[in-house]
Amino acid sequence: MRYWLFKSEPNKFPWEDLVAKGDAGEEWDGIRNYQARNNMREMKVGDRGFFYHSNIGKEVVGICEVSAESAPDSTTDDPRWDCVHLKAIRPFKTPVTLAAVKAEPRLAEMSLVTSMRLSVQPVTQEEWTLVCAMGDTDAN
DNA sequence: GCCAACGTTGGC
DNA sequence: GCCAACGTTGGC
């Protein structure tokens, strides 16, 4: 299983909206960046991801799961773009802020720090475990 | 609201 | 294939 990080602006699609979708999950559409798309193409059903609120909050607020592998993005006719489906697993007990990530030397190589603008990022096992611990949240 | 970073587009 | 212009993202 691999780990990822998904960004969302909370005034467009907040964590609570993904929770409300339940097990049906949500198509993670609208990604128009090749690197982000390529990351989604590598995902398998059951992969886990952090759900990060950009702009407002700037913190990891929950854990989600890939519920369908990458398929054509239904919001466009452009065949270049496809995306996975996500469903919510559990919220973070304590959200982990970007400031906290930046303040942690062991997370200096995390994509959230090094590739700030990438909207779908890979996360290593070590980063996953550490960020979950910082958020007082079950990593599994 | 500003602006730096950076990805994409399109003229040449 | 280069690169300037442009648009978007996202932290501050």
Side-chain angles (χ1 to χ4, degrees):
Chain A
M1 184 208 292
R2 297 186 60 184
Y3 300 101
W4 310 94
L5 180 144
F6 299 87
K7 286 188 189 174
S8 188
E9 293 185 48
N11 56 356
K12 290 181 182 164
F13 191 84
W15 165 252
E16 291 74 19
D17 283 10
L18 187 64
V19 172
K21 297 286 180 179
D23 279 345
E26 174 78 358
E27 181 182 26
W28 203 245
D29 56 44
I31 302 297
R32 300 291 181 265
N33 171 282
Y34 293 109
Q35 206 176 341
R37 183 208 63 188
N38 291 345
N39 285 336
M40 289 197 288
R41 286 184 174 176
E42 290 190 27
M43 294 178 191
K44 300 223 171 16
V45 171
D47 280 3
R48 292 289 171 94
F50 289 136
F51 195 98
Y52 174 81
H53 276 170
S54 61
N55 282 314
I56 302 167
K58 285 167 286 184
E59 56 194 7
V60 176
V61 293
I63 292 175
C64 55
E65 182 175 298
V66 175
S67 58
E69 68 182 27
S70 204
D73 185 329
S74 69
T75 63
T76 178
D77 290 331
D78 191 328
R80 290 179 298 172
W81 307 117
D82 54 49
C83 60
V84 297
H85 282 60
L86 296 181
K87 66 178 182 183
I89 295 296
R90 76 175 66 89
F92 260 55
K93 281 183 190 162
T94 308
V96 176
T97 64
L98 178 62
V101 169
K102 286 185 170 175
E104 171 51 69
R106 287 174 290 173
L107 296 176
E109 299 302 314
M110 194 170 175
S111 290
L112 198 59
V113 178
T114 61
S115 309
M116 188 235 289
R117 293 183 55 214
L118 184 60
S119 58
V120 178
Q121 310 178 347
V123 172
T124 67
Q125 172 81 64
E126 291 73 22
E127 290 162 353
W128 182 268
T129 302
L130 182 52
V131 172
C132 287
M134 289 164 69
D136 191 27
T137 297
D138 183 359
N140 298 305

